[in-house]
Amino acid sequence: MSGTRTLCCHVNTATLSFAIIYLIGNMLKLVGIFLTVSWDKAEDSVYYHESKALKGHRVFDISTNILMLVLMSISAVLVLFSQRKGPMFVLPFSMMMMVELSLSFLSLFNGVWGLPGTPSYRDMLKAVRRVPALNEEEIGQFTMWYSVLFMVDILLKVYVLQVSMKCFYAMKEKRVSAIHVDTGNTVTVKLPSYDEALKMKAEDTPPTYQEP
């Protein structure tokens, strides 16, 4: 496989496609967060001395999630201008993919470190257990499918990170080679013909070497 190709397309095309899908997904997550905040009334069901702590925690959690999604969206938008602006516009997208991979692994140990707009395993399990029609076997199947989808998501993010880095180096190499071509200086020297060399004056020839 060539260094500038992945599967059946160029790495630039693949990175641009991933960035568009990534941007759409982040926009949907932002809409979901705003809808959840507008509909969620969980703080009304707790005592007054706990409501302030719960509200402060929720405000911090929601604000950090929104900020994270905004940064992710900006990194995806920058990829759309990378063809004209240069490879540095791809680098933020690759860095955000590294952050997503780190948060995905950290969510295995604590759901607080999960990705913004993405429910953790504990949240999904609580939601499934609220359904009275599900038995223990069906909950176990849900756990198995969640684990499989989680690993597929991790592998997909690793692949997107690899493609974006290949795109960055390919664009950087292309730009460096273009700069070398544009700034290359050439010197053309016209040599005399044989007849012109014979007609040269004797004083134009270099002096012969003589020992002192």
Side-chain angles (χ1 to χ4, degrees), residues 22-156:
Y22 190 72
L23 180 61
I24 295 174
N26 289 334
M27 292 296 102
L28 293 177
K29 290 179 182 179
L30 280 173
V31 173
I33 288 178
F34 287 124
L35 292 177
T36 302
V37 171
S38 61
W39 292 344
D40 192 7
K41 303 297 181 182
E43 67 272 14
D44 298 335
S45 61
V46 299
Y47 294 106
Y48 175 75
H49 67 276
E50 296 178 354
S51 62
K52 291 185 177 180
L54 179 60
K55 184 177 181 180
H57 176 74
R58 291 181 70 249
V59 169
F60 177 78
D61 189 33
I62 292 171
S63 60
T64 52
N65 287 344
I66 292 176
L67 178 61
M68 186 70 179
L69 287 173
V70 169
L71 293 177
M72 292 176 178
S73 302
I74 292 175
S75 67
V77 172
L78 291 177
V79 177
L80 305 180
F81 301 95
S82 60
Q83 297 296 326
R84 291 184 298 175
K85 299 298 183 178
M88 295 304 296
F89 278 63
V90 181
L91 196 57
F93 181 73
S94 302
M95 294 177 64
M96 295 308 300
M97 293 308 303
M98 293 181 185
V99 172
E100 280 212 11
L101 282 172
S102 302
L103 292 177
S104 298
F105 283 114
L106 289 175
S107 65
L108 295 174
F109 306 98
N110 193 341
V112 178
W113 296 101
L115 293 173
T118 303
S120 62
Y121 171 75
R122 184 178 300 177
D123 297 333
M124 293 292 293
L125 190 59
K126 287 181 180 179
V128 170
R129 286 180 175 176
R130 292 195 189 102
V131 181
L134 297 179
N135 53 30
E136 293 296 331
E137 182 180 356
E138 291 173 338
I139 294 177
Q141 291 179 353
F142 165 78
T143 303
M144 180 187 67
W145 280 110
Y146 183 89
S147 302
V148 171
L149 292 176
F150 181 82
M151 293 305 301
V152 171
D153 182 65
I154 291 292
L155 294 176
L156 181 60

Side-chain angles (χ1 to χ4, degrees), residues 134-201:
L134 297 179
N135 53 30
E136 293 296 331
E137 182 180 356
E138 291 173 338
I139 294 177
Q141 291 179 353
F142 165 78
T143 303
M144 180 187 67
W145 280 110
Y146 183 89
S147 302
V148 171
L149 292 176
F150 181 82
M151 293 305 301
V152 171
D153 182 65
I154 291 292
L155 294 176
L156 181 60
K157 290 175 182 176
V158 171
Y159 175 70
V160 174
L161 175 61
Q162 180 186 9
V163 171
S164 62
M165 291 303 298
K166 290 175 67 175
C167 175
F168 170 76
Y169 287 115
M171 294 179 65
K172 185 177 180 181
E173 183 179 358
K174 182 179 179 181
R175 170 156 291 201
V176 170
S177 60
I179 291 175
H180 286 171
V181 171
D182 293 338
T183 60
N185 296 325
T186 58
V187 178
T188 304
V189 178
K190 183 179 180 181
L191 298 177
S193 63
Y194 179 75
D195 295 334
E196 292 175 347
L198 293 178
K199 294 178 181 178
M200 286 183 179
K201 296 181 180 180

